[in-house]
Amino acid sequence: MLILALDTALEACSVALHDIASDRTLARASQAMTRGHAEALVPMVDQVMVESGRAFGDIGLFAVTVGPGSFTGLRVGLSAARGFGLATGRPVIGISTLATLAAPLLAEDDGVPVVAAIDARHDNLYIQMIGPGGRVMVSPRQLALKDAVRAVANGPARLVGSGGPLLASAWPSTAPAPVEVVATNTPDPVWLARLASVADPAKSEPRPLYLRDADAKPQTAARIARR
């Protein structure tokens, strides 16, 4: 089965067409960006499809990161994935950004817990901790840096994501130091495809995972009362 994976959640726009049966990536593209995902995504998908030599009708499943991430970026990826799914009649699977970041490290060794951490600014982090056998030790949440350290610094751990260095810098000297820190800012769309291939569709809907309210608030001071 071919899976087209889309990621626009963080600081890149990434697309990969992956053949799950052979575990082979037919084509992929990625461009670092903090804005402009809406303009970049569809041309990037077209590029990947042309490079792979495949047609949209060959795709069996669409995968998309659902967050946490930027509100605008998430909407871009989710809207595109839903549109592709609707147009082709194929299912769409949503996978969390944190799980996608953690997946490569867990594949290497699932005996040491992995903490996926995204810098949420102002000394806040989005985090998730996954232990041996894929057991969720800390569910996805937003925490202040000091609370995040308190939640995960209770034994050997590997840190991944833009928040990894922040966690490492605040790691208590009384706890075992992090085994590894991988300071990547973007999930790998190939791993997104792999996770989607084994996900339960009923538990992996393409809906945004928001761990905090939007920064922008509607103006209410001059609102006219409705009658």
Side-chain angles (χ1 to χ4, degrees), residues 140-187:
R141 64 191 65 184
Q142 177 185 321
L143 292 174
L145 177 58
K146 63 179 182 179
D147 295 325
V149 171
R150 190 176 299 119
V152 301
N154 45 30
R158 291 170 293 161
L159 314 180
V160 63
S162 60
L166 287 174
L167 273 176
S169 68
W171 207 263
S173 58
T174 54
V179 175
E180 182 179 10
V181 180
V182 181
T184 180
N185 289 330
T186 57

Side-chain angles (χ1 to χ4, degrees), residues 67-69 71 98 116-129 138-149 151-152 167 209-215 217:
F71 286 82
L98 294 165
I118 298 170
D119 184 357
R121 312 302 180 197
H122 310 299
D123 278 338
N124 288 283
L125 299 172
Y126 302 128
I127 69 164
Q128 181 177 13
M129 187 174 189
V138 177
S139 60
R141 64 191 65 184
Q142 177 185 321
L143 292 174
L145 177 58
K146 63 179 182 179
D147 295 325
V149 171
V152 301
L167 273 176
L209 174 62
Y210 294 142
L211 299 183
R212 72 176 181 189
D213 295 331
D215 293 328
K217 302 294 182 183

Side-chain angles (χ1 to χ4, degrees), residues 176-200:
V179 175
E180 182 179 10
V181 180
V182 181
T184 180
N185 289 330
T186 57
D188 186 337
V190 172
W191 276 102
L192 171 61
R194 288 171 175 151
L195 291 177
S197 71
V198 296
D200 179 353

Side-chain angles (χ1 to χ4, degrees), residues 43-81:
M44 192 174 289
V45 169
D46 184 59
Q47 172 191 337
V48 164
M49 297 306 298
V50 169
E51 289 181 3
S52 69
R54 300 300 182 93
F56 253 72
D58 299 329
I59 298 171
L61 178 71
F62 296 92
V64 61
T65 42
V66 298
S70 77
F71 286 82
T72 301
L74 290 177
R75 287 195 293 268
V76 169
L78 284 163
S79 297

